[in-house]
Amino acid sequence: MLKAEAKKIWEDIHSGKAEEDSAVLSRFLLISFADLKKWTFYYWFAFPALLLDPPATLVDLRPASQWFSLEEAESLSSACNKWRSSSSTAVVPFFLVSIESNSHVTLKHLKDWESCQPHNHKYLFGFYDPCHLPSNPGWPLRNFLAFICSRWNLEKVRFFCYRESRGFADMDLSLIGEALISVSQGWKDRQHMPNAGGWELNRGKELPRLTRLAKSMDPTRLAISAADLNLKLMRWRALPSLNISVLSATKCLLLGAGTLGCQVARMLMAWGVRKITLLDSGKVAMSNPLRQSLYTLDDCLNGGDFKATAAVKSLKRIFPAVEADGVVMAIPMPGHPVASQEETSVLEDCRRLHDLIDSHDAIFLLTDTRESRWLPTLLCANANKITITAALGFDSFLVMRHGAGPLSTSHDIKADDSTANRTLDQQCTVTRPGLAPIASSLAVELLVGILHHPHGIYAKAEFANSTDSGSTEQPLGILPHQIRGSLSQFSQMILVGHSSQSCTACCCTVVSEYRERGLDFVLEAINHPTYLEDLTGLTELMKSASSFKLDWDNEMDNDDECVEI
C-alpha cells in the first residue's frame, strides 16, 4: 500500500501534475479498525516519502527570524498570512518565496519558477511544516526535494519551513535551511522508482496506535449503543426486515414478576423493547433469587422488597436506558369473595388494571393461577390487545397468543378457587428450573413475530408444513397459536386452539355482559364462584355430560380390527 501511494507521487512528479497541483506531494494512508462493541479504535498512519539516494545533506538550519532582516521577516509574515487566508491558496502546501532587493516578499506558485529565473531576486522553496521540533524539518520536505531535484535538476536548495502559532505566521518557530542534493543518474529516469518510507512509529516500533473512547463516554449512552448494535447486526446480516423502532416503541405490561416475569423482562430488553411495566403484589422470599433472575439476597432481607419495585431496580441496573415501572397490586380474581368493606379497594384495583391494559400495547399473563388470569384476559379481549399467556407445570409448559377481540381463545372452564384445600407444595409453582427460560423465550418470540407480521394480532395460526395455501412464512418464521412442551420427553408441539362460546373469560356473552354492567359484573363474578359457569352455560353442559352414559364392548372378535390411535 505504501509503495503504491509512493509510486503515484513519483508519477505525478514526472508528469508535471505536481507542478500544477502541489498537494499531490502530500499524500497519506490511514489503516483503521473500529471495535464498535468496546468503542476501541486501532489506527495507523503512513506518510509516503521518497528516499533520496544518497540522502540530502542539511546545512545552516536555523530559525527564520535569525536569517531574515527585520523588514524581510515582517513582509514574509504578512505574505504568509495573506496566502493562508485566501481560499484559492490556503490549500496549496508548497510555494515559492520571492525576496526583492527592497525587502518586499511575494509568495508564488511552483509553476511560476521558470518565469522567475531572469529576475535578480532571492528565492526559497517554502512548504507547510507540520513538525514542531526546533532542529528538524517536517516529512513533506523529502518529497519536495525529490520533486525539485527531478524537475529542475537543482543540487543546492534553500528551503523555508513555514510554521504557525495560534493561526498566524511565526518566524521564531519557522526554519530556514539549505539542502545539498547528490543523486545518481538513474534518479532522473521515470522508470526508476526510488525506495519509500513513511509508516508512523509507535514508541519506536512500526505498530498501530490504539484509542479507547469508552473511558470518556457516558456509560448509559454506551449501553444503548451496544444494545442497538446487536439488533443492527441482526438486521444487516440476517434479517433486513427487522423493525427496531417498532420494538423500542412497544409498551409491554407483565402481569406477574416471578420466575416467568423476570425471564420475560430480560428477553424483551434483549429484543430492544424499552418500555416495560411489571405488576405483582408479592415480596421477594429467600427461595426466589435462585430461580427468579432479577432478584438477589439483598432483596430478601428485612421481610423482603416488593417484587415489582425490586425487579424495576434490577432492570435499570442491567440497562439504565430502560423505561421500567413497578406496580404493587393484587389482581382481583373470580371465586375469591371479598368482604363488603373491601369492595371499594377491589373495584379501585379493577379500574387501575383496566387503565394499565389500555395504556400498553402488549400484555403478558405470567401469574401462577388461572383465576388471576381471568380479569386480564377479559380486559384484553374487550380492548383488543396483544395478549400472550405463559404457564408452567412440573415438567411441561404452555405458551399461547390470544386472538383479536371476544372469542379470542379459550380460558379455563372452571371459575372457582384453584388453590383451595391444597397443601403448600401444591400451592407453590413447583417446576423444573429449565422450564421457565424456555417458556419465557418462546413468549417473547411470539410477540416479536406478531409485531412483524403483516396482519399483526389478526394473523391466523400457522404451523410447519401448513396446507393453507394463503399462509406464507414470514422472515421470522411461522406464527403459531399455542406451543406446548415437555421436558420429560424433550418434545414440543404446535397446536391450534379454537375459541369457545362457553369460555368464562373472553366469549361474546362474558364480554358483552362486562360492557353492559362494567365493574358490577366483575364484582359479582368475584363474590359468586358459580356465576360465570351459570352465565356461559357451563353448569348445564357439565350436568348433561355427567348424565351421559357409554356402553363399552369388551369383546374383540378379530384382532385385525384394532386400530392404533
Side-chain angles (χ1 to χ4, degrees):
M1 294 175 66
L2 180 66
K3 188 174 182 180
E5 291 301 310
K7 186 176 182 180
K8 293 178 183 178
I9 296 174
W10 185 248
E11 292 291 335
D12 291 339
I13 289 174
H14 284 276
S15 67
K17 183 178 180 181
E19 192 171 340
E20 294 293 328
D21 179 13
S22 62
V24 298
L25 297 174
S26 300
R27 295 178 183 272
F28 71 92
L29 282 171
L30 173 60
I31 301 175
S32 65
F33 169 74
D35 188 340
L36 298 181
K37 286 192 174 183
K38 298 180 180 179
W39 285 90
T40 301
F41 295 84
Y42 297 86
Y43 64 94
W44 199 359
F45 276 101
F47 304 94
L50 301 173
L51 303 180
L52 296 174
D53 186 21
T57 302
L58 299 183
V59 295
D60 196 23
L61 186 67
R62 51 180 163 162
S65 59
Q66 298 178 15
W67 195 86
F68 293 110
S69 67
L70 183 60
E71 293 80 7
E72 289 174 339
E74 290 178 353
S75 181
L76 178 57
S77 295
S78 177
C80 288
N81 290 332
K82 184 178 179 181
W83 181 273
R84 288 282 284 124
S85 61
S86 173
S87 59
S88 60
T89 56
V91 294
V92 180
F94 299 92
F95 49 88
L96 295 174
V97 179
S98 173
I99 307 173
E100 300 177 18
S101 57
N102 61 357
S103 300
H104 180 69
V105 178
T106 307
L107 302 189
K108 298 184 178 183
H109 291 276
L110 295 181
K111 62 184 179 181
D112 297 330
W113 168 254
E114 299 292 344
S115 62
C116 293
Q117 291 308 299
H119 301 288
N120 189 22
H121 296 166
K122 290 190 295 185
Y123 288 97
L124 291 84
F125 294 90
F127 67 97
Y128 297 157
D129 190 354
C131 183
H132 65 279
L133 300 176
S135 57
N136 295 88
W139 67 269
L141 179 59
R142 293 191 180 191
N143 291 339
F144 201 15
L145 292 178
F147 166 77
I148 295 170
C149 174
S150 301
R151 194 67 179 165
W152 297 314
N153 299 319
L154 299 181
E155 296 181 352
K156 183 183 293 186
V157 176
R158 181 75 64 177
F159 59 85
F160 168 52
C161 304
Y162 170 70
R163 298 177 180 179
E164 294 180 345
S165 175
R166 298 181 180 180
F168 296 97
D170 191 321
M171 293 299 109
D172 291 324
L173 295 178
S174 299
L175 301 176
I176 297 291
E178 189 174 56
L180 304 179
I181 307 173
S182 175
V183 295
S184 61
Q185 286 295 324
W187 179 268
K188 297 178 176 61
D189 182 5
R190 184 172 183 173
Q191 301 303 319
H192 175 75
M193 172 66 190
N195 293 326
W199 285 111
E200 188 178 40
L201 299 181
N202 182 10
R203 297 179 182 178
K205 299 180 180 179
E206 289 190 348
L207 295 172
R209 296 178 183 270
L210 171 64
T211 298
R212 304 179 190 273
L213 296 184
K215 294 180 180 179
S216 61
M217 299 182 69
D218 178 21
T220 300
R221 296 186 63 183
L222 282 175
I224 295 172
S225 177
D228 289 343
L229 178 62
N230 290 333
L231 295 171
K232 289 176 181 177
L233 288 174
M234 291 174 59
R235 185 170 61 187
W236 292 338
R237 294 180 179 178
L239 197 62
S241 61
L242 181 63
N243 195 329
I244 299 174
S245 59
V246 167
L247 291 169
S248 63
T250 301
K251 299 178 182 179
C252 293
L253 174 61
L254 279 55
L255 302 181
T259 307
L260 287 169
C262 291
Q263 294 289 346
V264 168
R266 294 293 297 264
M267 292 300 106
L268 287 172
M269 289 201 303
W271 264 111
V273 175
R274 298 288 179 262
K275 299 176 176 63
I276 301 173
T277 301
L278 295 106
L279 184 148
D280 200 297
S281 62
K283 292 186 176 183
V284 184
M286 287 291 182
S287 60
N288 294 152
L290 291 177
R291 294 182 180 228
Q292 300 177 14
S293 59
L294 294 180
Y295 309 126
T296 64
L297 180 63
D298 290 342
D299 299 318
C300 310
L301 303 179
N302 302 317
D305 297 335
F306 283 106
K307 287 186 175 182
T309 54
V312 168
K313 290 179 182 177
S314 181
L315 290 177
K316 291 184 177 180
R317 284 196 298 268
I318 295 167
F319 185 62
V322 67
E323 298 176 31
D325 290 311
V327 179
V328 179
M329 190 190 87
I331 300 175
M333 297 180 285
H336 292 245
V338 295
S340 57
Q341 60 268 26
E342 297 177 1
E343 288 184 359
T344 303
S345 175
V346 170
L347 293 176
E348 184 58 35
D349 288 341
C350 292
R351 294 187 189 95
R352 193 176 182 188
L353 182 60
H354 175 275
D355 293 341
L356 283 170
I357 289 175
D358 257 8
S359 61
H360 288 75
D361 305 307
I363 289 80
F364 287 85
L365 309 186
L366 310 171
T367 53
D368 289 341
T369 63
R370 65 189 183 204
E371 304 97 273
S372 60
R373 292 191 289 268
W374 173 79
L375 183 56
T377 301
L378 170 60
L379 297 177
C380 289
N382 179 64
N384 198 29
K385 295 287 184 176
I386 297 174
T387 312
I388 296 174
T389 291
L392 304 177
F394 167 67
D395 59 5
S396 61
F397 67 85
L398 162 69
V399 177
M400 175 179 70
R401 65 179 174 98
H402 298 216
L407 285 176
S408 56
T409 184
S410 292
H411 194 69
D412 295 289
I413 60 170
K414 296 284 287 180
D416 56 349
D417 186 349
S418 64
T419 62
N421 301 318
R422 290 192 175 188
T423 59
L424 178 63
D425 63 303
Q426 292 175 316
Q427 293 185 43
C428 296
T429 305
V430 180
T431 66
R432 291 174 61 165
L435 209 60
I438 298 173
S440 302
S441 300
L442 290 173
V444 175
E445 294 295 326
L446 270 185
L447 172 65
V448 177
I450 294 171
L451 294 176
H452 284 79
H453 197 283
H455 301 304
I457 192 175
Y458 298 98
K460 293 182 178 181
E462 299 170 347
F463 49 93
N465 303 320
S466 173
T467 56
D468 183 4
S469 59
S471 176
T472 57
E473 187 173 324
Q474 301 301 313
L476 280 170
I478 63 171
L479 188 61
H481 177 209
Q482 290 187 21
I483 306 168
R484 292 180 180 265
S486 169
L487 272 185
S488 62
Q489 301 295 323
F490 286 93
S491 62
Q492 186 170 293
M493 295 184 296
I494 295 176
L495 304 175
V496 178
H498 298 284
S499 57
S500 169
Q501 292 286 353
S502 299
C503 176
T504 58
C506 58
C507 70
C508 290
T509 303
V510 173
V511 175
S512 298
E513 193 74 10
Y514 169 73
R515 289 174 177 174
E516 183 178 340
R517 297 178 57 200
L519 294 181
D520 290 338
F521 162 73
V522 175
L523 192 60
E524 188 168 357
I526 291 172
N527 288 327
H528 297 84
T530 63
Y531 171 67
L532 291 174
E533 296 171 21
D534 296 340
L535 177 67
T536 56
L538 283 176
T539 303
E540 292 298 322
L541 179 63
M542 287 186 286
K543 286 181 179 178
S544 61
S546 59
S547 62
F548 188 73
K549 295 182 180 180
L550 290 175
D551 293 328
W552 297 93
D553 187 1
N554 294 323
E555 294 183 3
M556 303 294 290
D557 295 335
N558 190 343
D559 289 344
D560 293 337
E561 293 180 358
C562 294
V563 178
E564 184 177 352
I565 300 178

